[in-house]
Amino acid sequence: MWFNIKLVLIDFARPSLLLLLLILLLLPRVQGWLWRALALALLIFALAGPERPLPSQRVAVLLDVSESIGSRAGEALSKLQLSSLKESPSFFAFAGDTTALVEADLSIADLSITDAITDKITDAIADLQSPQQAQLLQTELSDLARSLQVAQASDVDRILLISDGAESAGNALAALPRLPVDSLWIQSRDNSRLSDLLAPEEAGIGENVKVIAVAESDRDTEATLIFTVNGEEQEPIRQQLSAGRTPIDFNFTVENEGNIEISASLITDYEQAKADDSARVDISVNETAPVLVIGDSAAAELLRVQGFNVVEGSPANISSQSDYSAIVLRDSANSFSLGQLELLTQYVESGGGLLMTGGPDSFGLGGWYRSPVEAVLPVNTDLRTDVEIPLVAMVMVLDRSQSMQSGRPSKIDLAKEGAIAVVDLAYQEDILGLIVFSNDDQWVFKPRVATERGKREMAKAILDIETQGGTVLRPAFNQAISELSNTEAAIKHIILLTDGQLNDGPFNSNNGVDFALMAQIANQNGITTSSIAIGDGADVEQLRRISVAGKGRFYEALDVSTLPQIFATEALTATRSLLREEITEPIIRTHPLIPEALSSSSTQNLAPSLNAYIASSLKRDSEMLLEGMDKEPILAVSRQG
């Protein structure tokens, strides 16, 4: 009974050797006989090759036949010792779907003949790789999850998975059965694929769009990339791919409204998986919002020729409801109200495009210094630290008549703020003076050097100005001219401000005062005069004539809130050499917006020469495309908002 139980628990590789146990009966029964018999029995037992039998288990073998593996799973199967199994396994091939390969009718003896079973599996895989069968099995995909589910449903006790582990469908981890799963990893075949197709989400009609296909390859190879735009095949691109990632550019022009479907496919010079060789992306095309052009008709015409929808307008077009794709400016900041300047800044910060072109009313010459818009420009409109400034002498002639008290804030308060801005902008070598006029005139401070202490005292004196009387200009204007005539300075300048009609007598009459003539005579002595008219009651025509005769600038501040900005602009323009009037050949910098052929050192002369440009300085976070004298930017860009 004991022996029968032992046979159930243990098998023997050479059971015939157990007959040697009969020798134990022939051993003489002397001292130590029992131990010698036991040792001999154990030796015979070991020579018989005792084995513990494996429990009976049905095994499902899952063979990956997707394109990334090909026939490699079948080749790996031939190296397995199937004869150790007690029952014939079930064989399944899988890719995007799963199918049984060989009916489970092989005997244990068949399994011991490796070539026979391998041939059957190989023949079955070859049948599946025919075009019709490959389409049914979807060999371009790999669904590990489905194969595990099919194997579990086939009433097996264990699963052997032969695969590279790559899955393009399903979730194998989520579909793991409760059965034990063994895996044999197989190296994937070399593959080239399109890992990404990059394009803008939106584009406008007439816009040139760049699409970037990112190709990844396991080895160096030559490939062809085919793009289609709304199903229309474009010129193929032949590209050498290095092992790793290679970007491939494709450009096209948007011609019509509606969505555009861009697809790309990769064709390689070697056989490999094709499931990941294609990609597509959609671009939404809407009618592009127009470009608003203010003050630059030449730029407007150039944009129209390029196919842009252009609206030529004025500062009145700037509002909270503005819907423009970009705004082009070549106008003075003084043409805009403070609210319009702030709206323009908000427009840029919220994603709008802004281009300021050069002209007599642009950058520092146009009053953009310290304006809200300057904060979103790629350049600073002042050159305080970059240019040698000649010695300046400036006198401000300020109206303090009773009418200057009107408004909230009052005109006089805004004029004070502007005068303080002039003081703040002055260099220590500059000479500043301020005289006020009404029925009489009074020096707030005579021309003096703008030292740090001098600036503090000037600002305090400006704040103490009070309004009174009418508008009698002549005495104050005469004194300003006289003081500057007796001052040594390279630049001598007068800023005249008033909000009313000048009461010195009818203009250009025999009994009156010809202020334009006074300004002209002063200019002959090296003194320039600019004038500022505040509000709609100012003597605009006469002030304009004064500015023309005095070779200065005229400002009409209908919006009195712009007054401080006008003062700062005038001080900047009058005391700094912002205009470069030498013939300049710009240096082309390397930049994505500059064609590569233009940015090479041998072709710098392709940039057109300039007769003049307005000097500015590049901001730290901006990029220069064209460089002028002393590293000054001629064309610069920056990102805002």
Side-chain angles (χ1 to χ4, degrees), residues 93 150 196 262 277 325 435 460 506 630:
V150 171
D196 212 344
I262 306 295
D277 290 355
S325 59
I435 186 171
K460 182 180 182 304
D630 301 323

Side-chain angles (χ1 to χ4, degrees), residues 205-206 302-309:
I205 297 176
L302 179 60
L303 291 172
R304 287 193 186 97
V305 171
Q306 298 299 320
F308 287 89
N309 181 11

Side-chain angles (χ1 to χ4, degrees), residues 61 72 100 146 156 299 381 455 471 610 621 633:
V61 180
R72 292 187 178 186
R146 174 157 177 75
V156 295
T381 59
K455 286 185 176 183
T471 313
L610 304 176
D621 57 350

Side-chain angles (χ1 to χ4, degrees), residues 199-348:
E201 293 182 359
E202 297 181 352
I205 297 176
E207 183 176 347
N208 186 268
V209 176
K210 174 184 284 188
V211 178
I212 301 176
V214 181
E216 290 188 19
S217 183
D218 296 332
R219 69 184 193 187
D220 294 348
T221 186
E222 195 166 7
T224 301
L225 193 68
I226 299 176
F227 284 96
T228 64
V229 179
N230 284 339
E232 183 177 344
E233 189 172 307
Q234 309 297 304
E235 185 72 22
I237 299 175
R238 192 71 175 165
Q239 180 77 36
Q240 181 68 35
L241 301 183
S242 301
R245 295 163 63 92
T246 304
I248 305 172
D249 295 351
F250 163 68
N251 294 273
F252 73 98
T253 301
V254 178
E255 297 179 352
N256 301 305
E257 291 185 40
N259 291 337
I260 297 179
E261 178 185 317
I262 306 295
S263 65
S265 58
L266 191 69
I267 302 174
T268 59
D269 290 345
Y270 68 98
E271 185 178 351
Q272 47 98 37
K274 298 179 175 60
D276 48 10
D277 290 355
S278 301
R280 57 160 287 175
V281 67
D282 292 329
I283 301 174
S284 177
V285 180
N286 299 310
E287 184 177 355
T288 307
V291 176
L292 175 63
V293 179
I294 301 176
D296 196 338
S297 57
E301 183 59 29
L302 179 60
L303 291 172
R304 287 193 186 97
V305 171
Q306 298 299 320
F308 287 89
N309 181 11
V310 177
V311 173
E312 290 192 70
S314 67
N317 291 81
I318 304 296
S319 69
S320 58
Q321 304 300 319
S322 297
D323 183 19
Y324 302 106
S325 59
I327 297 177
V328 179
L329 291 179
R330 192 173 180 260
D331 205 351
S332 169
N334 304 313
S335 302
F336 296 80
S337 67
L338 182 59
Q340 289 169 335
L341 292 175
E342 291 174 347
L343 285 173
L344 185 55
T345 304
Q346 293 171 11
Y347 163 81
V348 175

Side-chain angles (χ1 to χ4, degrees), residues 333-334 338 341 366-372 374 381 414 417-418 421 555 560-571:
N334 304 313
L338 182 59
L341 292 175
W368 295 99
Y369 178 63
R370 287 188 176 179
S371 70
E374 188 187 39
T381 59
L414 292 170
E417 185 180 340
Y555 303 89
V560 296
S561 64
T562 62
L563 193 55
Q565 180 64 36
I566 292 174
F567 263 100
T569 299
E570 179 56 22

Side-chain angles (χ1 to χ4, degrees), residues 56-77:
S56 177
Q57 284 190 326
R58 281 182 53 80
V59 177
V61 180
L62 300 179
L63 297 163
D64 188 344
V65 294
S66 62
E67 289 182 346
S68 63
I69 290 289
S71 60
R72 292 187 178 186
E75 295 168 1
L77 182 66

Side-chain angles (χ1 to χ4, degrees), residues 408-427:
R408 290 187 180 182
S410 66
K411 299 174 188 175
I412 191 64
D413 286 339
L414 292 170
K416 291 179 185 179
E417 185 180 340
I420 291 174
V422 173
V423 172
D424 181 56
L425 284 170
Y427 285 88

